[in-house]
Amino acid sequence: MATAPDSAKLTPAEALAPHGKGRKASDQSIYDAIYEAVLTQRLPPGSRLPEVALSELFGVSRSIVRKALTRLASDHVIEQQPNQMAMVSRPGVEETRQIFAARRLVESEVMRLTAGTLNKARLQELKRLVKDEKIAHDSGRDQDRVHCSMAVHRFLARHCPNHVLGQMMRDLVLRTSIVIALYKTPNITACFLGDDHARLADLIAKGKGEQAAALADRHLHTLEGLLDLNDHSHPINLASILRPDA
């Protein structure tokens, strides 16, 4: 997944900052800002998230920041240890392989269960998401492309008849995004792999669950194979990522 050209100059704080003057942040808005910045890879794995800096950036007390960070930790978005500063999750190579293995199992079953169950309106929405992804890819809009790629998978997870599996898939989509941000190679463009998503939508519409499951499995195997599973660290600018009114 590529990021905007100037994103490497941004701090985690600037990536997560709320937009608009005079807006009072809540633990939910702080959670959403950090979640979104991690999902779109503006806030890289390993980014440090000091409570004092976040409370100043969002104009709230440290207790509100702490509440948001606790929720993010429970969702595996960040890591928190006693008496240590919170940081964006930084999975190791073995955990990365396990995340992909878990997602292949869960997502394949979600495809089997969801195929043939979407009504006309939902199928149209799915096809619109796939079309938006291709447009963003073709026009080089990197952040939009990330959003669209994730949106396709999250849409299918949200409409899975088994809601527990759907929630598991949504969690794994985010965790996969984190490891892609950490181990991506220059040729990765979100999870846009040719016409995979368009073919997947077609199989879902036709109720071909086994074929959809097999395609999802291949899609994720291919994506994992594009990763450089070595440790890479890059400096980040927290203020530019999270700063209000940025």
Side-chain angles (χ1 to χ4, degrees), residues 75-87:
D75 289 341
H76 307 286
V77 179
I78 69 169
E79 298 173 358
Q80 275 187 315
Q81 299 293 335
N83 302 317
Q84 293 185 21
M85 189 180 300
M87 65 174 59

Side-chain angles (χ1 to χ4, degrees), residues 1-2 133 137 142 145-146 149 185-193 226:
M1 285 184 204
E133 178 195 27
H137 173 78
D142 296 328
R145 180 177 58 205
V146 173
S149 294
T185 54
N187 61 322
I188 284 191
T189 54
C191 71
F192 188 89
L193 300 173
L226 293 174

Side-chain angles (χ1 to χ4, degrees), residues 149-211:
S149 294
M150 297 301 101
V152 171
H153 294 279
R154 289 188 292 180
F155 175 89
L156 292 169
R158 188 167 64 252
H159 295 296
C160 176
N162 186 315
H163 301 302
V164 175
L165 277 177
Q167 181 59 56
M168 290 172 65
M169 178 172 158
R170 288 196 294 275
D171 293 342
L172 287 166
V173 166
L174 176 61
R175 297 183 71 177
T176 305
S177 178
I178 293 171
V179 299
I180 290 172
L182 179 57
Y183 296 114
K184 67 182 179 181
T185 54
N187 61 322
I188 284 191
T189 54
C191 71
F192 188 89
L193 300 173
D195 63 348
D196 276 7
H197 287 165
R199 292 167 54 208
L200 189 61
D202 185 59
L203 292 170
I204 293 292
K206 294 177 178 178
K208 297 183 177 181
E210 288 301 327
Q211 293 181 46

Side-chain angles (χ1 to χ4, degrees), residues 50-230:
E51 288 183 8
V52 172
L54 291 174
S55 66
E56 292 174 354
L57 285 165
F58 288 96
V60 297
S61 68
R62 290 179 66 179
S63 63
I64 292 177
V65 170
R66 196 173 298 120
K67 185 176 180 181
L69 293 178
T70 298
R71 292 177 55 202
L72 288 160
S74 69
D75 289 341
H76 307 286
V77 179
I78 69 169
E79 298 173 358
Q80 275 187 315
Q81 299 293 335
N83 302 317
Q84 293 185 21
M85 189 180 300
M87 65 174 59
V88 177
S89 292
R90 190 181 182 86
V93 171
E94 181 56 32
E95 183 179 355
T96 294
R97 296 192 187 283
Q98 291 178 11
I99 289 170
F100 269 96
R103 184 170 164 187
R104 282 193 295 270
L105 286 172
V106 171
E107 188 155 339
S108 293
E109 187 60 23
V110 167
M111 296 306 103
R112 290 188 184 94
L113 295 174
T114 307
T117 67
L118 301 181
N119 60 30
K120 183 177 180 180
R122 288 178 176 175
L123 286 172
Q124 289 177 338
E125 184 178 355
L126 176 59
K127 291 178 181 179
R128 178 186 59 78
L129 290 173
V130 172
K131 181 179 179 180
D132 289 347
E133 178 195 27
K134 188 175 188 307
I135 292 172
H137 173 78
D138 291 345
S139 60
R141 301 199 318 270
D142 296 328
Q143 293 300 326
D144 288 344
R145 180 177 58 205
V146 173
H147 279 292
C148 292
S149 294
M150 297 301 101
V152 171
H153 294 279
R154 289 188 292 180
F155 175 89
L156 292 169
R158 188 167 64 252
H159 295 296
C160 176
N162 186 315
H163 301 302
V164 175
L165 277 177
Q167 181 59 56
M168 290 172 65
M169 178 172 158
R170 288 196 294 275
D171 293 342
L172 287 166
V173 166
L174 176 61
R175 297 183 71 177
T176 305
S177 178
I178 293 171
V179 299
I180 290 172
L182 179 57
Y183 296 114
K184 67 182 179 181
T185 54
N187 61 322
I188 284 191
T189 54
C191 71
F192 188 89
L193 300 173
D195 63 348
D196 276 7
H197 287 165
R199 292 167 54 208
L200 189 61
D202 185 59
L203 292 170
I204 293 292
K206 294 177 178 178
K208 297 183 177 181
E210 288 301 327
Q211 293 181 46
L215 177 57
D217 183 80
R218 290 195 302 274
H219 178 89
L220 292 168
H221 265 297
T222 301
L223 185 58
E224 182 181 0
L226 293 174
L227 301 183
D228 176 12
L229 295 179
N230 295 295

